[in-house]
Amino acid sequence: MPGISKHIVLLICLIPGILACNKKSGTTENTVIPPVAEYPLRPAHFPPAVYQHTSNPYSTKGYELGKRLFFDPILSANNTISCGSCHKPASAFADGGVALSKGVDGKTGKRHSPAIFNMAWNKSFMWDGGVNHIEIMPFAPIINPVEMAQDMRELIHELNTHPAYPEMFSSVFGKDSIDDQQLFYALAQYMSNLVSADAKYDKMKRGETTFSAEEMEGYRLFQTHCNACHTEPLFTDNSYRNNGLDKTFSDSGRYRISQRAEDMGTFKVPTLRNVALTPPYMHDGRIKTLTDVVEHYATGVQPSATLSPLLIKNGNPGLQLNDTEKQRIIQFLYTLTDSSFVAQHTH
Amino acid sequence: MKTMLNKITLVAIAAVMLGTSACREKNNEPVPISNGSLTMKFEHTWGSSQAWEPNKTFVHARTNDTLTFTMLKYYISNIRLQKSDETWWSQPNSYYLVDASTNASPTITITDVPGTEYIAMQYTIGVDSARNVSGAQTGALSVINGMFWDWNTGYIMAKAEGTSPNANTVSKTFAIHLGGFAGPNKVVTTKNIDFRAEANRYVAIGDVYNPTMTVKVDVASLWKTAPGVGTISTVHMEGPQAATFGKDFFGSFTFSNITLK
């Protein structure tokens, strides 16, 4: 009898939770907010993280300060755009279907806002890998005229004269005034702890669930055709590749950074985790659906001098997949959706 | 007799040599005990003889370009001093941004130098590789100084900007930004000064000794081998162009003199 009443209580507790999940937005009072992790999240089945918090010790207060800054438009020139404007938690920190995100005054650049999570494992940042460290990564969008268009001195002044930030920063870093290093440290504490590792794929790997026959077939096809670049468990090998979108390049990609001929038209291999939540696809957001992405790799690969040799089969560009194979791969890609990650950060 | 004379001559020569070397290598004052400071003064010239100034117009002898500078900044870092016992003192967190944009002879002061006599010095023009790959920095290395590339991580080791009627830009401005912290196009340059050879003495720092060392910098050396602003008006990334400007400009940094106190 006591056992039954416990179950009923549990069920009653769950009902508002389910209802809240069905709402796109609205009240969050029924959502159970998980506590902020006391240590940086480092899943056991992931390799060692690149970012080690060496000079920026992690704290829950630092994470919470970073989170507040991430969603605060104070970071932009006219206080209209926050990091979260183009990296929306509900879209796994991508920009919810937008090919080219809008910065201040509706300005746009030429590259797509990537989904940002598991960044503590990134060796470089941006589509061309031009930024070498997570701490100084936000500097680029903050000062870019088509993104946040902010003046750094002005921003530091705004933070130092804000009614709340000076006390928050001082409680985390113990300094008299806020400088850009503290701003970057706080943002890094938040961003490096956006960890997605609880998709069906991860549960399968941990033995908590099993794949359907179709998903398992998709997984095997993925390992044959895709895993060389989108390498498990992070689903990227952090390399730069030309995946055959074009024969000539309006955006030189990695070449802009390295000035090496072999890098012309190459871009960083993005993770495929949460890929079903992050359309559109490619560095410029040109492909709208996952079906079209897989079709591109099967039949749409364009030859050029720097095309990844992994996309050439029997002397011809393209992976030459049949319709069933394409479908199975997509079924597998859906197992990379981490709903609990999204739910945890959507509040 | 002949040998005797030779011996005397030898002894005399040896005595004179000993005397000079003692004079050259040792101060007669006691070795300082308390900490002191060393000031570095950067004196900018245009060519070998003309004094350089910001916002003044110069003509380049090699390129014939007419140039007016509105900005000249560079990093000086990793200052080390060698004591008379040949051990080195390295200044902790040793980064300075030298700004000659409003002052033709800017100075930086290295404080808390352990009191003793020094025989040599080392400094770096630019910012070492480690600080280019270690994330957010502070002080002279803060990004608010405008000396850090956001899109292709790395410090801008030196910036020279201004106007020229010869520039190939619509605005008739030039902007030479020199970066490159590693690899074949690295511009970071380390300089060594042997005080005994160059100043003819030991340098005491501490107690009453807080000397000022003058370094001469020839701004015209930016175009020692590089083409004029009609060909290259802007350098905005590391690479072979920046490496050429950097090698010639940083190569012109030379020790001039050091005061006693």
Side-chain angles (χ1 to χ4, degrees):
Chain A
M1 193 61 193
I4 291 168
S5 65
K6 251 187 206 164
H7 282 125
I8 291 165
V9 170
L10 204 80
L11 209 81
I12 292 166
C13 286
L14 279 171
I15 290 166
I18 294 160
L19 290 175
C21 280
N22 288 336
K23 288 182 192 168
K24 282 231 156 179
S25 62
T27 58
T28 53
E29 56 186 295
N30 296 324
T31 312
V32 180
I33 299 172
V36 174
E38 294 194 12
Y39 300 98
L41 299 170
R42 300 294 184 256
H45 62 302
F46 277 19
V50 173
Y51 188 54
Q52 293 292 339
H53 293 270
T54 312
S55 47
N56 179 25
Y58 177 82
S59 68
T60 53
K61 270 187 183 175
Y63 173 95
E64 275 163 350
L65 174 57
K67 180 178 175 179
R68 178 167 174 163
L69 290 161
F70 189 90
F71 292 103
D72 194 338
I74 196 172
L75 263 57
S76 65
N78 54 8
N79 293 358
T80 56
I81 306 283
S82 76
C83 308
S85 302
C86 306
H87 299 285
K88 301 182 174 84
S91 306
F93 291 89
D95 197 6
V98 177
L100 299 176
S101 298
K102 287 187 165 59
V104 294
D105 301 329
K107 288 176 183 157
T108 54
K110 58 180 183 179
R111 291 181 187 162
H112 176 60
S113 302
I116 51 168
F117 50 80
N118 296 348
M119 292 208 295
W121 286 265
N122 278 18
K123 293 189 177 86
S124 63
F125 300 85
M126 306 298 172
W127 281 104
D128 56 21
V131 176
N132 70 11
H133 201 286
I134 192 171
E135 287 170 7
I136 42 94
M137 196 285 302
F139 181 45
I142 288 172
I143 69 162
N144 191 321
V146 299
E147 295 183 52
M148 294 162 125
Q150 180 63 287
D151 177 275
M152 278 304 293
R153 280 184 194 275
E154 172 62 27
L155 172 56
I156 297 304
H157 175 73
E158 278 182 65
L159 292 173
N160 274 308
T161 52
H162 189 270
Y165 278 124
E167 202 182 315
M168 293 174 79
F169 272 89
S170 146
S171 75
V172 175
F173 301 107
K175 299 268 175 70
D176 295 340
S177 63
I178 303 165
D179 64 12
D180 52 314
Q181 185 185 53
Q182 294 164 54
L183 167 67
F184 293 142
Y185 276 180
L187 285 167
Q189 293 204 25
Y190 176 63
M191 295 187 304
S192 67
N193 226 26
L194 299 173
V195 177
S196 177
D198 206 21
K200 187 175 186 182
Y201 162 85
D202 301 292
K203 294 188 169 96
M204 182 276 285
K205 282 283 169 186
R206 295 196 297 255
E208 297 162 14
T209 190
T210 49
F211 275 178
S212 69
E214 290 83 1
E215 287 165 345
M216 191 50 86
E217 197 188 327
Y219 183 30
R220 279 195 289 267
L221 287 162
F222 173 87
Q223 287 180 312
T224 306
H225 295 287
C226 319
N227 191 61
C229 305
H230 295 286
T231 313
E232 296 174 75
L234 294 162
F235 292 88
T236 173
D237 67 348
N238 282 305
S239 68
Y240 308 93
R241 314 259 186 175
N242 169 0
N243 65 345
L245 292 171
D246 299 299
K247 287 190 177 101
T248 57
F249 312 102
S250 57
D251 184 340
S252 63
R254 177 69 182 166
Y255 174 83
R256 180 172 178 239
I257 303 300
S258 73
Q259 302 286 307
R260 285 193 299 255
E262 66 264 33
D263 288 334
M264 182 56 78
T266 69
F267 292 89
K268 183 132 67 74
V269 174
T271 179
L272 295 183
R273 286 181 170 273
N274 295 307
V275 70
L277 301 176
T278 62
Y281 304 100
M282 307 302 155
H283 64 272
D284 53 5
R286 72 173 72 180
I287 303 186
K288 289 191 174 61
T289 68
L290 264 187
T291 309
D292 289 343
V293 170
V294 176
E295 193 58 47
H296 163 74
Y297 285 111
T299 60
V301 173
Q302 304 296 307
S304 68
T306 58
L307 175 66
S308 172
L310 294 164
L311 292 175
I312 300 168
K313 298 283 171 198
N314 309 319
N316 295 310
L319 295 175
Q320 298 160 22
L321 304 164
N322 66 37
D323 286 350
T324 311
E325 289 171 329
K326 288 179 221 167
Q327 205 185 335
R328 294 290 174 267
I329 288 174
I330 291 169
Q331 282 170 295
F332 167 71
L333 292 176
Y334 272 88
T335 73
L336 301 177
T337 299
D338 185 349
S339 310
S340 63
F341 169 72
V342 169
Q344 186 192 339
H345 292 287
T346 314
H347 54 70
Chain B
M1 190 63 189
K2 217 175 180 182
T3 33
M4 185 74 173
L5 252 178
N6 281 350
K7 267 183 189 162
I8 291 165
T9 319
L10 269 172
V11 169
I13 289 169
V16 168
M17 276 179 74
L18 264 171
T20 10
S21 80
C23 271
R24 196 177 66 212
E25 295 200 348
K26 277 285 172 192
N27 296 323
N28 294 325
E29 309 291 326
V31 172
I33 297 164
S34 64
N35 284 2
S37 68
L38 169 66
T39 297
M40 287 177 82
K41 183 180 177 187
F42 296 90
E43 248 178 38
H44 296 88
T45 64
W46 186 255
S48 54
S49 52
Q50 203 176 349
W52 176 89
E53 277 177 50
N55 301 306
K56 192 179 160 185
T57 301
F58 295 94
V59 176
H60 197 275
R62 184 178 145 264
T63 65
N64 290 319
D65 288 339
T66 301
L67 304 148
T68 310
F69 291 80
T70 54
M71 183 193 283
L72 180 65
K73 291 181 182 181
Y74 44 82
Y75 276 109
I76 296 293
S77 69
N78 294 289
I79 289 153
R80 303 175 74 214
L81 285 156
Q82 192 178 24
K83 298 172 183 174
S84 51
D85 67 3
E86 299 199 337
T87 60
W88 286 89
W89 172 78
S90 301
Q91 187 190 28
N93 200 23
S94 184
Y95 298 94
Y96 296 89
L97 181 55
V98 176
D99 188 356
S101 309
T102 52
N103 176 0
S105 302
T107 60
I108 60 174
T109 298
I110 300 122
T111 55
D112 299 320
V113 181
T116 190
E117 287 182 331
Y118 292 91
I119 55 173
M121 180 183 180
Q122 193 178 70
Y123 69 93
T124 295
I125 311 165
V127 178
D128 51 277
S129 173
R131 295 284 180 138
N132 282 270
V133 298
S134 309
Q137 305 295 327
T138 187
L141 298 180
S142 158
V143 300
I144 67 169
N145 293 319
M147 298 292 283
F148 190 81
W149 278 311
D150 65 309
W151 60 279
N152 188 2
T153 302
Y155 283 94
I156 301 166
M157 311 304 177
K159 262 189 186 181
E161 292 184 8
T163 57
S164 170
N166 311 98
N168 65 10
T169 51
V170 178
S171 55
K172 294 294 167 194
T173 55
F174 65 90
I176 311 294
H177 295 180
L178 306 180
F181 58 83
N185 295 314
K186 177 180 168 176
V187 296
V188 180
T189 305
T190 295
K191 295 278 181 177
N192 290 289
I193 300 158
D194 182 336
F195 291 136
R196 288 169 301 183
E198 306 216 33
N200 235 20
R201 62 179 170 88
Y202 279 50
V203 170
I205 301 177
D207 297 349
V208 296
Y209 300 100
N210 298 296
T212 296
M213 180 175 93
T214 301
V215 173
K216 282 212 162 138
V217 179
D218 178 7
V219 181
S221 69
L222 276 162
W223 291 276
K224 187 181 171 188
T225 59
V229 295
T231 308
I232 302 173
S233 283
T234 51
V235 177
H236 278 310
M237 64 186 301
E238 64 160 280
Q241 281 184 358
T244 301
F245 281 101
K247 184 171 175 282
D248 291 342
F249 181 50
F250 297 162
S252 83
F253 284 57
T254 46
F255 172 87
S256 171
N257 63 75
I258 185 162
T259 60
L260 194 63
K261 291 191 177 177

